[in-house]
Amino acid sequence: MAGNGSNSEFSFGNGPASYGLTKISTNKKGGNGICHDDSATPVKAQTIDELHSLQRKRSAPTTPIKAPTSPGGFANAISEEERHIQQLQSISASLASLTRETGPKVVRGDPATARKPDTPKVAHVVHTQPHFTPTIAVSDSALKFTHVLYNLSPAELYEQAIKYEKGSFITSSGALATLSGAKTGRSPRDKRVVKDDATEAELWWGKGSPNIEMDEHTFLTNRERAVDYLNSLDKVFVNDQFLNWDPENRIKVRIVSARAYHSLFMHNMCIRPTPEELEDFGTPDFTIYNAGQFPCNRYTHYMTSSTSIDINLARREMVILGTQYAGEMKKGLFGVMHYLMPMRGILSLHSGCNMGKDGDVALFFGLSGTGKTTLSTDHNRYLIGDDEHCWSDKGVSNIEGGCYAKCIDLSREKEPDIWNAIKFGTVLENVVFDEHTRDVDYTDKSVTENTRAAYPIEYIPNAKIPCVGPQPKNVILLACDAFGVLPPVSKLNLAQTMYHFISGYTALVAGTEDGVKEPRATFSACFGAAFIMLHPTKYAAMLAEKMQKNGASGWLVNTGWSGGSYGSGSRIKLAYTRKIIDAIHSGSLLNAEYKKTEVFGLEIPTAVEGVPSEILDPVNTWADKNAYKETLLKLADLFKNNFETFTNYKIGKDSRLTEEILAAGPNF
Ligand SMILES: Nc1ncnc2c1ncn2[C@@H]1O[C@H](COP(=O)(O)OP(=O)(O)O)[C@@H](O)[C@H]1O
Ligand SMILES: C=C(OP(=O)(O)O)C(=O)O
Ligand SMILES: [Ca+2]
Ligand SMILES: [Mn+2]
């Protein structure tokens, strides 16, 4: 080659080098003629697989795990490997079939990415005492591995949901939109509790009780069905978490489920363990088997539909078949707490709870849709929790680690904190969104009216962590009265508080469906009859005792209709209800001027700051006074009929309060 390098053949013009393009040198270092793009440092990987493995770093607890000390003073720390094997053995035991001798072979990790399970992190449990004489000792499920996706993070669960669960999408605000399938609400008529000698005596059975009985054998049949279903899958999700922020009364729960949606929901709703707490988790106090995609067998005794939610208190287990509605798990555990906590003298409450800057705590009782979540989420106060609490001698504690807000017609302006909580990590159930922008349309009821958002409580900026507080000062009973005759706010004496607590009234309208013109009254004892386990008067007696002891004030707040029943009146503005609640919190309403209403005998204030005075007495808001009186009497009659079930029960030691409570209802 003559003179120039190999790139010299082509140039613009024949002038000096400065007129043409700079020559590309290929010969700086090696001189082997190979072109290197060395503008950045090269990756430290030889293959694509190696490169991908560099992306992910092992996560581990940030502080060393405490080594328990043996009596001799020697630390008998077990290795991390052993701890993982113990964890897997515990999961294998959870998933064990009771009719075959073994638990499944479980291995940690996603089957899609797992290599051969050649590591020792495989566990298999052999029963020491089988409950039944096994007829077949081996089955196909004993030959395969069940992959366990253990306490995955929200990011990992998003990936699982989006890859494998139809109907899972990321919305424009980062939330995970999912579908709960055919069931978009709870199925209270399919909730069963095992009746054995102990529970027969302890629990509330019969008329009005949410506890529909089943026997132990049927429970085991359904348990086996759920466990066999779960073991037939390539992978199951396992969440090990806590309930109750009161450290002395914390309950360890394990949730075994088939869907990433369920695992993320419970990750958000239960208390999340730290990595250290998880290492020390041990055996759970209660286990849920959620095989919701799989129906129960209607030929099984007691089954009346293909859905069954079964609780066995002796075995400390719950089985879910035939419903994927995630609220079933949260509220099922709440039922269990309604049994466990009163046994310890602690009152379980279906209520929201928040605290002012000065430490004044308020409880918000109410049935679904009455405003517990909306009103406890208050930008000027600390949120302790939106739905499930415990009241002990020490004060209040939230049972959960997250909130479950209704999001139908959610607006940024009226409920900014809930709006902003709908971001990455939040589960959005059954909402409708724009297929391109993924913007959610909160007004759309195409899937259901019961659209929901489940988010960790720390997504609310003024959440009180840990979620505990001192003794309550105000007990607010919420009723969404679609008849439009209850006052927006009434001050209650103790007997009235008990009367309304035991009644647990609300009246909602089924929405905008044709034909549903009349509001339907619902009475749900303790504002949560679907979740209580003992007789309502047991909880009422505890509430009376605690309110009395701590000098708490009772209030009845109507978050429903004004100016007429549903159809002619309208729902009380949320802004007005918030002003009423503010006046309760500040203490100003306690010292206001009051007058007594007819029929219900409720004390109503004549003025509340920020609320038009004329709406405080509902009679003023009705154009047709006769219609008002007629509706008022109709509602009073419904109250009276409902309360008849309770007239034979005593509350507390002396019967004085019982008589006062009976007298605290409507008089007409
Ligand atoms: N005056 C009002 N007070 C409380 N909530 C209201 C009022 N008017 C409308 N709402 C709406 O009613 C619903 C109350 O639901 P939510 O707080 O989730 O109930 P709960 O937690 O008791 O089930 C929310 O969608 C809220 O926006
Ligand atoms: C999750 C529920 O709670 P709430 O509607 O009271 O918020 C429910 O009742 O299913
Ligand atoms: Ca609730
Ligand atoms: Mn709620």
Side-chain angles (χ1 to χ4, degrees):
M1 261 177 249
N4 295 322
S6 55
N7 285 334
S8 65
E9 282 101 333
F10 183 76
S11 65
F12 290 97
N14 296 316
S18 58
Y19 288 94
L21 294 173
T22 326
K23 278 204 289 183
I24 296 169
S25 161
T26 58
N27 228 358
K28 265 183 200 151
K29 285 174 198 145
N32 56 1
I34 297 169
C35 180
H36 289 284
D37 176 7
D38 50 8
S39 55
T41 45
V43 288
K44 300 187 193 95
Q46 301 297 317
T47 65
I48 290 285
D49 281 350
E50 225 178 284
L51 177 61
H52 287 179
S53 79
L54 290 179
Q55 218 181 356
R56 287 171 293 149
K57 164 174 120 182
R58 227 179 132 258
S59 65
T62 46
T63 56
I65 292 145
K66 306 172 286 313
T69 324
S70 69
F74 296 103
N76 54 11
I78 59 167
S79 72
E80 204 185 318
E81 194 85 325
E82 280 171 282
R83 218 176 263 275
H84 281 151
I85 289 174
Q86 283 179 7
Q87 240 172 23
L88 286 176
Q89 275 169 343
S90 163
I91 293 166
S92 175
S94 288
L95 279 164
S97 152
L98 296 174
T99 57
R100 293 180 295 273
E101 278 181 307
T102 58
K105 287 181 203 145
V106 293
V107 62
R108 223 167 142 143
D110 187 347
T113 56
R115 294 189 192 90
K116 278 204 189 74
D118 49 5
T119 62
K121 281 185 202 161
V122 181
H124 196 224
V125 163
V126 178
H127 277 230
T128 43
Q129 284 179 310
H131 282 68
F132 293 95
T133 318
T135 46
I136 313 161
V138 287
S139 76
D140 286 342
S141 66
L143 302 176
K144 69 178 267 291
F145 287 94
T146 300
H147 289 260
V148 171
L149 299 178
Y150 186 70
N151 274 37
L152 294 196
S153 66
E156 293 171 301
L157 291 168
Y158 264 58
E159 291 164 2
Q160 288 287 327
I162 287 158
K163 255 194 230 166
Y164 304 111
E165 293 170 20
K166 276 217 172 94
S168 301
F169 297 90
I170 302 180
T171 69
S172 59
S173 76
L176 181 73
T178 61
L179 292 174
S180 69
K183 297 280 170 115
T184 57
R186 283 181 295 103
S187 310
R189 276 176 302 266
D190 297 308
K191 200 186 123 198
R192 290 178 181 79
V193 181
V194 173
K195 195 186 227 178
D196 53 24
D197 291 344
T199 57
E200 172 156 27
E202 285 168 346
L203 304 193
W204 180 28
W205 301 100
K207 189 174 175 274
S209 159
N211 305 315
I212 304 169
E213 71 168 277
M214 82 189 307
D215 61 16
E216 168 88 3
H217 183 82
T218 309
F219 177 86
L220 295 178
T221 305
N222 281 357
R223 183 198 189 278
E224 195 73 350
R225 195 169 167 92
V227 161
D228 278 347
Y229 169 73
L230 291 166
N231 283 322
S232 75
L233 303 172
D234 281 346
K235 63 182 186 214
V236 295
F237 296 89
V238 176
N239 290 33
D240 278 349
Q241 296 185 256
F242 301 116
L243 295 179
N244 199 357
W245 284 86
D246 168 4
E248 284 169 43
N249 294 291
R250 193 163 84 165
I251 304 293
K252 296 189 281 181
V253 288
R254 170 169 293 167
I255 301 102
V256 187
S257 61
R259 290 191 62 180
Y261 150 47
H262 290 149
S263 186
L264 183 58
F265 177 88
M266 291 309 263
H267 169 92
N268 291 350
M269 294 309 299
C270 296
I271 299 168
R272 292 158 288 284
T274 63
E276 291 76 23
E277 286 171 329
L278 197 57
E279 289 288 322
D280 287 337
F281 196 82
T283 314
D285 299 313
F286 200 89
T287 304
I288 298 182
Y289 299 94
N290 187 343
Q293 286 139 299
F294 200 61
C296 64
N297 184 340
R298 290 196 60 175
Y299 290 114
T300 303
H301 191 32
Y302 293 101
M303 299 299 108
T304 51
S305 75
S306 53
T307 299
S308 199
I309 301 108
D310 309 328
I311 293 176
N312 187 328
L313 292 171
R315 289 190 58 88
R316 297 159 169 267
E317 289 177 339
M318 174 159 83
V319 168
I320 301 177
L321 289 164
T323 172
Q324 297 180 60
Y325 181 64
E328 217 64 83
M329 293 183 282
K330 152 200 161 69
K331 280 298 190 347
L333 289 174
F334 190 36
V336 173
M337 293 300 273
H338 269 301
Y339 173 77
L340 295 177
M341 294 299 116
M343 295 291 158
R344 305 178 183 196
I346 298 167
L347 177 60
S348 42
L349 320 158
H350 186 210
S351 77
C353 181
N354 67 18
M355 186 176 87
K357 306 266 184 307
D358 302 328
D360 62 297
V361 167
L363 297 175
F364 300 81
F365 285 96
L367 292 173
S368 190
T370 56
K372 294 181 300 299
T373 302
T374 300
L375 298 170
S376 57
T377 309
D378 179 334
H379 207 72
N380 300 312
R381 294 173 65 83
Y382 299 110
L383 177 66
I384 292 178
D386 80 320
D387 198 54
E388 307 177 4
H389 292 84
C390 286
W391 187 347
S392 75
D393 290 339
K394 290 175 287 183
V396 287
S397 60
N398 188 354
I399 290 175
E400 303 179 289
C403 303
Y404 195 30
K406 277 186 178 291
C407 41
I408 202 69
D409 295 324
L410 183 69
S411 86
R412 188 202 293 262
E413 293 67 37
K414 289 186 201 146
E415 300 185 61
D417 285 344
I418 294 176
W419 180 279
N420 291 326
I422 302 178
K423 58 183 181 183
F424 179 81
T426 297
V427 177
L428 263 181
E429 285 176 334
N430 302 319
V431 297
V432 175
F433 49 83
D434 180 287
E435 70 175 353
H436 172 58
T437 64
R438 300 281 197 264
D439 288 337
V440 177
D441 178 358
Y442 288 106
T443 66
D444 197 316
K445 301 171 182 168
S446 304
V447 179
T448 175
E449 180 149 353
N450 187 28
T451 55
R452 294 274 183 163
Y455 46 85
I457 190 160
E458 61 268 19
Y459 280 18
I460 297 297
N462 49 0
K464 159 95 180 48
I465 312 279
C467 304
V468 295
Q471 298 292 340
K473 186 173 138 193
N474 289 298
V475 171
I476 303 169
L477 310 182
L478 305 172
C480 178
D481 175 29
F483 289 98
V485 294
L486 287 184
V489 59
S490 330
K491 186 168 80 176
L492 306 175
N493 61 32
L494 189 65
Q496 285 176 315
T497 308
M498 290 308 119
Y499 179 85
H500 287 279
F501 179 70
I502 296 167
S503 297
Y505 163 74
T506 202
L508 294 169
V509 282
T512 46
E513 291 160 47
D514 305 325
V516 186
K517 296 262 164 19
E518 275 272 280
R520 220 184 50 224
T522 308
F523 292 94
S524 177
C526 310
F527 291 102
F531 324 117
I532 61 181
M533 288 261 160
L534 312 176
H535 194 273
T537 51
K538 296 249 170 65
Y539 304 98
M542 287 178 83
L543 181 65
E545 192 248 354
K546 288 185 190 296
M547 283 185 69
Q548 231 162 357
K549 194 166 156 189
N550 297 290
S553 309
W555 306 89
L556 180 64
V557 170
N558 174 13
T559 61
W561 269 250
S562 171
S565 297
Y566 171 80
S568 56
S570 55
R571 192 154 181 193
I572 295 167
K573 282 195 172 72
L574 179 55
Y576 293 158
T577 301
R578 286 206 198 274
K579 287 286 180 195
I580 287 167
I581 300 291
D582 287 346
I584 293 173
H585 291 320
S586 77
S588 69
L589 206 54
L590 200 58
N591 305 311
E593 195 186 310
Y594 282 88
K595 65 174 190 184
K596 210 180 186 105
T597 67
E598 50 171 3
V599 183
F600 276 88
L602 296 165
E603 298 280 343
I604 58 171
T606 52
V608 177
E609 201 191 310
V611 183
S613 293
E614 63 275 13
I615 74 162
L616 295 173
D617 188 345
V619 69
N620 299 331
T621 65
W622 284 60
D624 183 345
K625 307 294 178 205
N626 288 332
Y628 167 77
K629 188 68 193 274
E630 208 177 287
T631 311
L632 183 67
L633 290 171
K634 184 167 153 189
L635 182 62
D637 204 44
L638 292 171
F639 265 85
K640 209 164 206 156
N641 289 340
N642 171 69
F643 214 81
E644 263 155 27
T645 342
F646 303 108
T647 47
N648 298 324
Y649 285 92
K650 270 196 182 150
I651 292 178
K653 281 162 217 92
D654 59 56
S655 54
R656 239 197 48 224
L657 186 58
T658 310
E659 274 150 35
E660 282 175 29
I661 293 169
L662 291 175
N667 266 306
F668 56 102

Short mmCIF file of all heavy atoms in Angstrom, two decimals, residues 9 73 87 110 182 201 205 229-230 244 339 354 515 569 600 640:
data_model
loop_
_atom_site.label_atom_id
_atom_site.label_comp_id
_atom_site.label_asym_id
_atom_site.label_seq_id
_atom_site.Cartn_x
_atom_site.Cartn_y
_atom_site.Cartn_z
N GLU A 9 -8.16 6.04 1.13
CA GLU A 9 -8.58 6.00 -0.28
C GLU A 9 -9.65 7.03 -0.61
O GLU A 9 -9.69 7.58 -1.67
CB GLU A 9 -9.10 4.61 -0.67
CG GLU A 9 -8.03 3.62 -0.93
CD GLU A 9 -7.85 2.71 0.26
OE1 GLU A 9 -8.14 3.12 1.42
OE2 GLU A 9 -7.43 1.59 0.04
N GLY A 73 -24.07 -20.40 78.06
CA GLY A 73 -23.44 -19.15 77.66
C GLY A 73 -22.88 -19.18 76.25
O GLY A 73 -22.38 -18.18 75.75
N GLN A 87 -37.42 -22.51 57.58
CA GLN A 87 -38.51 -21.73 57.01
C GLN A 87 -39.28 -22.57 55.99
O GLN A 87 -40.50 -22.61 55.99
CB GLN A 87 -37.92 -20.51 56.30
CG GLN A 87 -38.39 -19.19 56.84
CD GLN A 87 -37.61 -18.04 56.22
OE1 GLN A 87 -37.04 -18.16 55.13
NE2 GLN A 87 -37.57 -16.92 56.92
N ASP A 110 -38.95 -18.59 41.83
CA ASP A 110 -39.87 -18.61 40.70
C ASP A 110 -39.53 -19.78 39.78
O ASP A 110 -38.39 -19.90 39.34
CB ASP A 110 -39.70 -17.27 39.96
CG ASP A 110 -40.71 -17.09 38.86
OD1 ASP A 110 -41.39 -18.08 38.49
OD2 ASP A 110 -40.82 -15.96 38.36
N ALA A 182 -65.33 -13.14 39.46
CA ALA A 182 -66.80 -13.08 39.52
C ALA A 182 -67.30 -12.41 40.79
O ALA A 182 -68.36 -11.80 40.80
CB ALA A 182 -67.37 -14.49 39.43
N ALA A 201 -69.94 -23.55 72.85
CA ALA A 201 -70.23 -22.82 74.08
C ALA A 201 -69.82 -21.34 73.97
O ALA A 201 -70.50 -20.46 74.48
CB ALA A 201 -69.51 -23.47 75.24
N TRP A 205 -74.19 -18.24 67.99
CA TRP A 205 -74.79 -19.05 66.92
C TRP A 205 -76.25 -18.68 66.77
O TRP A 205 -76.85 -18.11 67.66
CB TRP A 205 -74.70 -20.55 67.25
CG TRP A 205 -73.30 -21.04 67.45
CD1 TRP A 205 -72.68 -21.27 68.64
CD2 TRP A 205 -72.34 -21.36 66.44
NE1 TRP A 205 -71.40 -21.72 68.44
CE2 TRP A 205 -71.17 -21.78 67.10
CE3 TRP A 205 -72.36 -21.34 65.02
CZ2 TRP A 205 -70.02 -22.18 66.41
CZ3 TRP A 205 -71.22 -21.74 64.35
CH2 TRP A 205 -70.07 -22.15 65.03
N TYR A 229 -55.25 -28.22 45.57
CA TYR A 229 -55.24 -27.26 44.47
C TYR A 229 -53.93 -26.47 44.48
O TYR A 229 -53.24 -26.38 43.46
CB TYR A 229 -56.43 -26.30 44.57
CG TYR A 229 -56.31 -25.13 43.62
CD1 TYR A 229 -56.51 -25.31 42.25
CD2 TYR A 229 -55.94 -23.87 44.08
CE1 TYR A 229 -56.35 -24.25 41.37
CE2 TYR A 229 -55.78 -22.81 43.21
CZ TYR A 229 -55.98 -23.00 41.85
OH TYR A 229 -55.81 -21.96 40.98
N LEU A 230 -53.57 -25.95 45.64
CA LEU A 230 -52.36 -25.13 45.73
C LEU A 230 -51.12 -25.95 45.36
O LEU A 230 -50.22 -25.46 44.68
CB LEU A 230 -52.22 -24.53 47.13
CG LEU A 230 -53.26 -23.45 47.48
CD1 LEU A 230 -53.28 -23.17 48.99
CD2 LEU A 230 -53.01 -22.16 46.70
N ASN A 244 -51.84 -6.47 64.39
CA ASN A 244 -51.88 -5.73 65.65
C ASN A 244 -50.54 -5.05 65.98
O ASN A 244 -49.53 -5.71 66.19
CB ASN A 244 -52.32 -6.63 66.82
CG ASN A 244 -52.80 -5.79 68.00
OD1 ASN A 244 -52.74 -4.55 67.98
ND2 ASN A 244 -53.26 -6.46 69.04
N TYR A 339 -62.34 -12.93 68.06
CA TYR A 339 -62.37 -14.06 68.99
C TYR A 339 -61.16 -13.97 69.93
O TYR A 339 -61.30 -13.98 71.15
CB TYR A 339 -62.35 -15.37 68.21
CG TYR A 339 -62.20 -16.59 69.08
CD1 TYR A 339 -63.29 -17.08 69.80
CD2 TYR A 339 -60.98 -17.25 69.17
CE1 TYR A 339 -63.14 -18.20 70.61
CE2 TYR A 339 -60.83 -18.38 69.97
CZ TYR A 339 -61.92 -18.84 70.69
OH TYR A 339 -61.78 -19.95 71.49
N ASN A 354 -58.22 8.06 64.47
CA ASN A 354 -57.17 9.05 64.27
C ASN A 354 -56.92 9.84 65.54
O ASN A 354 -57.62 9.67 66.54
CB ASN A 354 -57.44 9.92 63.04
CG ASN A 354 -58.64 10.84 63.18
OD1 ASN A 354 -59.11 11.10 64.30
ND2 ASN A 354 -59.15 11.33 62.07
N GLY A 515 -85.32 0.26 39.56
CA GLY A 515 -86.19 -0.45 40.48
C GLY A 515 -85.88 -0.18 41.94
O GLY A 515 -86.77 -0.21 42.77
N GLY A 569 -84.14 13.87 48.40
CA GLY A 569 -83.12 14.66 49.09
C GLY A 569 -81.75 14.45 48.46
O GLY A 569 -81.65 13.95 47.34
N PHE A 600 -86.74 9.83 68.33
CA PHE A 600 -85.45 9.22 68.67
C PHE A 600 -84.83 9.81 69.94
O PHE A 600 -83.89 9.25 70.49
CB PHE A 600 -84.47 9.32 67.49
CG PHE A 600 -84.66 8.21 66.48
CD1 PHE A 600 -85.57 8.36 65.43
CD2 PHE A 600 -83.95 7.02 66.58
CE1 PHE A 600 -85.75 7.33 64.50
CE2 PHE A 600 -84.13 6.00 65.66
CZ PHE A 600 -85.03 6.15 64.61
N LYS A 640 -87.02 -0.56 66.36
CA LYS A 640 -87.68 -1.29 67.44
C LYS A 640 -87.74 -2.79 67.16
O LYS A 640 -87.38 -3.61 68.00
CB LYS A 640 -89.10 -0.74 67.63
CG LYS A 640 -89.56 -0.88 69.07
CD LYS A 640 -90.76 -0.03 69.38
CE LYS A 640 -90.75 0.28 70.87
NZ LYS A 640 -91.48 1.49 71.18
#
